Amino acid sequence: MPRRRIGFWYRFAAVICKPPLVVLLRRDWRGIEHIPAEGGFITAVNHNSHIDPFAYAHFQYNTGRVPRFLAKSGLFKKGFVGAAMRGTGQIPVYRESTDALSAFRAAIDAVHRGECVAFYPEGTLTRDPDGWPMTGKTGAARVALQTKCPVIPVAQWGCNELLPPYSKKPQLLPRKTHRVLAGPPVDLTRFYDREMTAELLKEATEVIMDAITRQLEEIRGEKAPETPYDPRRERIEQRRRTQAQTHQKSGQTVQEEGLGK
């Protein structure tokens, strides 16, 4: 299947975004040979800075296979932003859909058209204290198993040093290096043609996230934690700690009131 032409809107965005990226970031980009020259595919990318989508898009743009990012469907309806989203071929996610597969129908269609669909499987900036990838959401695995397209794991590091996660203050000096390492396609064939249960999707997602993490280990030259950071588990633990502290304070108050009688 032929690749889609880049088009006016994407070239326009590149003219605006590339100059500041070139000034702010050195580049150490590897693994471009793993980006398919033809046909639809998915890239699964780690997320550790608010600016890394722009830097990653720069990397992907230079391969000739521009990424189509997923975004809330509502953004496609609003004035200039909507026009730019549609013009650059970004992909709406229909979160209001009660059918999980229908929520990603535009992504599935894009893969079938021969596009590169870029997923941030974590769904948000990593909350791991050391910047490692967290547990992933199942959207990328769902689309991959539905289309049987290649999934390219991509790790990146450096934008988080320029603009740390959840920070609004960039660290401009010294100049940072954006390091990208794209790996060979993740082998998901053992999950093909099976019922798409929650457990199967979870297992396939873990395989994808593990591949991204291995790429990031190579970039950083160190080992990731054995167990990835799980935001859901952390929220549960935080609630438990809060409840324990509340009970402890209540007990102290009762004890103090008893002593005051």
Side-chain angles (χ1 to χ4, degrees):
M1 182 178 291
R3 66 176 72 177
R4 178 175 169 176
R5 303 175 76 179
I6 292 176
F8 165 78
W9 277 100
Y10 230 121
R11 293 188 187 280
F12 178 68
V15 166
I16 294 173
C17 295
K18 286 177 71 172
L21 290 170
V22 169
V23 170
L24 292 171
L25 292 164
R26 298 186 183 92
R27 288 169 288 170
D28 177 11
W29 293 347
R30 293 177 285 153
I32 290 176
E33 67 275 11
H34 295 303
I35 302 298
E38 303 290 343
F41 65 101
I42 287 170
T43 55
V45 192
N46 68 308
H47 191 18
N48 54 30
S49 173
H50 284 300
I51 63 171
D52 69 38
F54 299 98
Y56 162 68
H58 186 193
F59 160 80
Q60 192 70 47
Y61 182 90
N62 279 24
T63 71
R65 302 300 310 273
V66 295
R68 312 297 177 179
F69 291 96
L70 281 76
K72 293 184 293 186
S73 59
L75 292 175
F76 291 74
K77 304 174 184 178
K78 300 176 182 178
F80 177 80
V81 172
M85 297 291 281
R86 295 190 300 272
T88 54
Q90 306 315 307
I91 299 170
V93 177
Y94 300 95
R95 293 183 177 177
E96 69 279 5
S97 174
T98 56
D99 178 4
L101 199 58
S102 295
F104 293 102
R105 63 182 181 273
I108 292 169
D109 291 344
V111 170
H112 285 152
R113 289 196 307 272
E115 301 282 10
C116 164
V117 179
F119 274 89
Y120 281 96
E122 296 161 278
T124 187
L125 286 171
T126 182
R127 293 186 178 275
D128 181 272
D130 296 316
W132 293 103
M134 305 186 292
T135 55
K137 299 184 183 300
T138 60
R142 190 180 293 275
V143 175
L145 297 184
Q146 180 70 20
T147 60
K148 298 181 181 178
C149 71
V151 178
I152 308 301
V154 181
Q156 58 180 337
W157 189 257
C159 288
N160 53 304
E161 297 172 336
L162 175 61
L163 183 66
Y166 304 101
S167 172
K168 296 180 180 179
K169 185 178 180 180
Q171 309 294 323
L172 300 178
L173 296 174
R175 190 178 179 210
K176 310 303 188 292
T177 299
H178 182 228
R179 295 180 170 85
V180 178
L181 180 59
V186 181
D187 183 6
L188 298 176
T189 53
R190 66 184 180 275
F191 302 110
Y192 289 172
D193 301 318
R194 293 168 56 186
E195 183 182 357
M196 213 176 291
T197 62
E199 187 60 34
L200 180 134
L201 289 169
K202 180 176 180 291
E203 187 178 348
T205 299
E206 288 173 351
V207 172
I208 293 170
M209 295 307 301
D210 184 65
I212 299 171
T213 302
R214 298 291 82 77
Q215 300 297 113
L216 189 56
E217 286 181 334
E218 184 170 340
I219 289 176
R220 296 176 61 174
E222 54 186 297
K223 292 292 292 182
E226 286 295 326
T227 303
Y229 184 95
D230 185 340
R232 183 174 177 274
R233 184 177 61 237
E234 182 61 27
R235 286 193 297 269
I236 293 171
E237 290 299 322
Q238 182 60 45
R239 282 197 295 268
R240 287 175 179 169
R241 288 193 293 267
T242 301
Q243 289 170 356
Q245 290 170 358
T246 301
H247 291 322
Q248 185 179 15
K249 289 179 181 179
S250 297
Q252 290 174 347
T253 301
V254 170
Q255 187 178 19
E256 291 169 358
E257 288 176 350
L259 290 173
K261 290 183 180 179

